[in-house]
Amino acid sequence: MNTRMILSLIGLWLITGCRPATENLIRQTLADALYGFEQIQDSARTKTWWFHGETETTREGITADLEAFKQAGIGGVVYYDQSHGKAENALPGFSDQWWAMLRFAAEEAERLGLTFEVHISNGFVAGGSWITDRYSMKRLAATERTVEGGRYFEGKLEVSLNPRFPFSQDIAVLAFPVPPGGGGSSITQPVKISCSLPQLDVRNIVDPQATTLTRIAVQKELKPVYIDFEFEQDFTARCVTYEVSPRGKATTSATNVPGPPQETFVGTGYRILPDLGQLEVSQDGVHYEPVCDLKPVYRAHENWRQKTISFPAAKGRFFRLNLHDWWEGESLSPLQIGKVALHSAAKLDQWEEKAGFFSEYIEKDRTPDYQPSETIPLGSIVNITDRMSEDGTLRWDVPPGQWKVMRLAYVPTGGMSKHGRKNLMGRECDKLSAATAEYHWIHYVGRIVD
């Protein structure tokens, strides 16, 4: 019975002069409403997470906890193996002793009239030692190549892999005509790469297959470091992509709330990081003009470290990374950078953050107002997934023109569970897969429920 109905009955009681039948109805209605406050239904009771695994578990401790919860008016507990300490003398998960303590806890909760629930996972947040690459968290990845049209093509398409977790699950193969204003091949390799530090391995900085980033120390007198790219002829660049070692704020402060990005933001452990320097362009290799600032990558929950900065088309034979002042105050930490690439293709600025590849604050959008000749009409994209065999070989009668072929797949992120009992730690499960969620349930919650 809601408040409006009760007030209506009271009004009726006043109008009718408190007739016996009406008075009894009102009295019963009020009694029913009061009963709901005195005999609180379970859905309205306060529950609490009940952490286990910080230290040893005892029957006396279980009883003391639950009796204190009951006395405080708590309606139930969610049993949760989550540890943030050294976990000294903690019981191994699923051991005989662990099962005995879990069952005793449930029995004590029942004795005290408390509800007893179990968290979805050991530790944070849903995973374990049973989660393999196939069932782990994934992200979308793609490889691309340019093929000439007007003829038959047969060849293997490169597959995208996370070097640490070599598993890939194909999604689709898409193709589209290369925009005439988009520069043909997305990446054109320079004929010469040089650096103001002769001892630096500049080839590693631009190697797309490099497994490590190049470490650049702060120079004496805080001098800038130049990395120069010389092309055989004028090259039109529309964005730069690079990987850089993440630094900065606490991970819990990295995600912005819905809405237009602001110039900056604040949060726990957050500090504004300086730019790494600038990308510059030149016609003669002597006089350079700035193209864009090179932004840092903030430390987030994931191990992602790639950044894409877009800018209006810049044309020249010479480009340069002018790296300077990347350090913070007196902390003269080295710069770690790699996989630098200049792209002629038009790309969305900060597309990695916008795609949700990592939980990062999205800065102000710098995507240029591209011309139609620089972009890809949706209607020009064709699905040629059925032209690729299981071994990755594409067989396709390519229409006239130059075509970009993209092989899209899922690859593991490598995300691990944490803060749980050590013997049950492992990979996090793919939370966007119903089959994987069921697989995880069977191996953890299902065992407990059974």
Side-chain angles (χ1 to χ4, degrees):
M1 184 70 70
N2 58 39
T3 304
R4 180 177 296 178
M5 294 179 66
I6 294 174
L7 292 176
S8 298
L9 287 171
I10 294 176
L12 177 64
W13 173 64
L14 293 174
I15 293 172
T16 58
C18 191
R19 296 174 183 172
T22 304
E23 183 177 359
N24 291 336
L25 176 61
I26 294 173
R27 185 179 292 109
Q28 183 60 48
T29 301
L30 294 176
D32 291 343
L34 183 61
Y35 180 85
F37 286 94
E38 294 176 337
Q39 307 293 329
I40 301 174
Q41 56 185 336
D42 181 63
S43 62
R45 299 164 76 191
T46 300
K47 310 292 181 69
T48 185
W49 272 357
W50 187 27
F51 282 9
H52 288 254
E54 295 275 3
T55 181
E56 67 270 12
T57 301
T58 64
R59 291 174 177 264
E60 294 78 11
I62 289 172
T63 298
D65 275 359
L66 293 177
E67 288 182 345
F69 292 150
K70 179 68 174 181
Q71 185 176 359
I74 299 295
V77 296
V78 179
Y79 178 95
Y80 195 174
D81 276 341
Q82 183 170 157
S83 172
H84 294 266
K86 295 182 179 179
E88 295 178 353
N89 302 320
L91 300 172
F94 290 162
S95 65
D96 291 343
Q97 302 95 323
W98 182 90
W99 280 114
M101 290 299 179
L102 179 74
R103 180 173 291 279
F104 177 74
E107 291 170 346
E108 282 293 87
E110 184 180 34
R111 177 180 67 84
L112 294 168
L114 301 174
T115 60
F116 187 84
E117 302 168 49
V118 178
H119 193 266
I120 192 68
S121 176
N122 165 73
F124 186 86
V125 66
S129 55
W130 46 89
I131 300 297
T132 61
D133 286 344
R134 179 174 297 277
Y135 295 104
S136 67
M137 290 179 65
K138 301 177 182 69
R139 63 174 175 84
L140 188 65
T143 57
E144 61 180 53
R145 67 181 297 172
T146 303
V147 298
E148 295 297 331
R151 58 188 178 186
Y152 176 76
F153 173 86
E154 181 173 338
K156 278 199 173 184
L157 299 179
E158 183 182 355
V159 62
S160 180
L161 292 175
N162 183 331
R164 294 171 53 212
F165 309 100
F167 171 84
S168 179
Q169 182 179 344
D170 280 311
I171 302 172
V173 179
L174 303 178
F176 53 86
V178 174
S185 178
S186 177
I187 302 176
T188 299
Q189 296 298 334
V191 295
K192 181 180 178 181
I193 305 175
S194 59
C195 181
S196 58
L197 302 178
Q199 73 277 14
L200 202 67
D201 182 7
V202 291
R203 284 292 169 183
N204 189 70
I205 294 179
V206 299
D207 183 0
Q209 305 300 327
T211 57
T212 59
L213 301 179
T214 298
R215 185 177 183 274
I216 302 178
V218 177
Q219 301 302 294
K220 293 181 179 180
E221 301 179 359
L222 306 182
K223 290 183 177 180
V225 176
Y226 300 115
I227 300 175
D228 298 308
F229 305 86
E230 179 181 345
F231 292 86
E232 187 174 0
Q233 55 188 6
D234 280 352
F235 176 72
T236 300
R238 291 178 174 82
C239 67
V240 59
T241 299
Y242 53 88
E243 290 191 5
V244 64
S245 180
R247 295 184 290 131
K249 59 186 173 296
T251 57
T252 53
S253 303
T255 307
N256 53 295
V257 297
Q262 305 300 310
E263 290 297 328
T264 186
F265 69 108
V266 295
T268 305
Y270 172 80
R271 63 185 187 275
I272 299 176
L273 296 177
D275 293 339
L276 312 178
Q278 287 78 38
L279 172 68
E280 300 173 337
V281 66
S282 171
Q283 302 299 326
D284 56 12
V286 178
H287 305 93
Y288 283 85
E289 297 179 355
V291 175
C292 70
D293 293 326
L294 301 173
K295 297 295 182 179
V297 172
Y298 285 94
R299 182 176 293 115
H301 287 280
E302 298 80 10
N303 56 8
W304 188 265
R305 56 190 185 184
Q306 178 177 299
K307 193 84 169 181
T308 295
I309 306 294
S310 299
F311 45 81
K315 188 176 182 179
R317 272 193 63 207
F318 303 90
F319 287 83
R320 179 171 72 181
L321 299 184
N322 181 356
L323 305 173
H324 62 87
D325 299 314
W326 64 76
W327 50 87
E328 302 174 79
E330 298 179 357
S331 177
L332 303 181
S333 56
L335 173 66
Q336 299 185 60
I337 191 169
K339 296 188 178 180
V340 177
L342 293 173
H343 300 260
S344 62
K347 294 180 183 290
L348 288 176
D349 183 61
Q350 304 175 90
W351 65 264
E352 299 91 344
E353 290 95 319
K354 294 170 182 174
F357 280 4
F358 65 121
S359 301
E360 174 58 285
Y361 181 84
I362 301 176
E363 297 178 338
K364 187 175 181 179
D365 187 16
R366 295 176 291 269
T367 303
D369 187 14
Y370 291 121
Q371 298 300 310
S373 61
E374 298 176 286
T375 59
I376 305 162
L378 288 178
S380 69
I381 301 174
V382 295
N383 188 339
I384 56 173
T385 305
D386 59 352
R387 308 293 203 285
M388 186 184 74
S389 59
E390 291 186 3
D391 67 352
T393 300
L394 177 67
R395 297 175 177 87
W396 183 35
D397 287 314
V398 189
Q402 196 176 48
W403 288 75
K404 181 86 69 178
V405 177
M406 300 186 70
R407 180 179 182 180
L408 296 99
Y410 295 124
V411 298
T413 66
M416 303 290 291
S417 61
K418 55 187 177 181
H419 304 315
R421 297 190 187 263
K422 293 180 180 179
N423 70 306
L424 296 184
M425 301 298 287
R427 307 276 286 284
E428 286 212 42
C429 75
D430 182 356
K431 300 168 190 64
L432 298 182
S433 165
T436 296
E438 183 178 7
Y439 181 82
H440 171 72
W441 174 279
I442 291 171
H443 284 78
Y444 186 74
V445 184
R447 290 185 62 180
I448 296 173
V449 173
D450 288 346

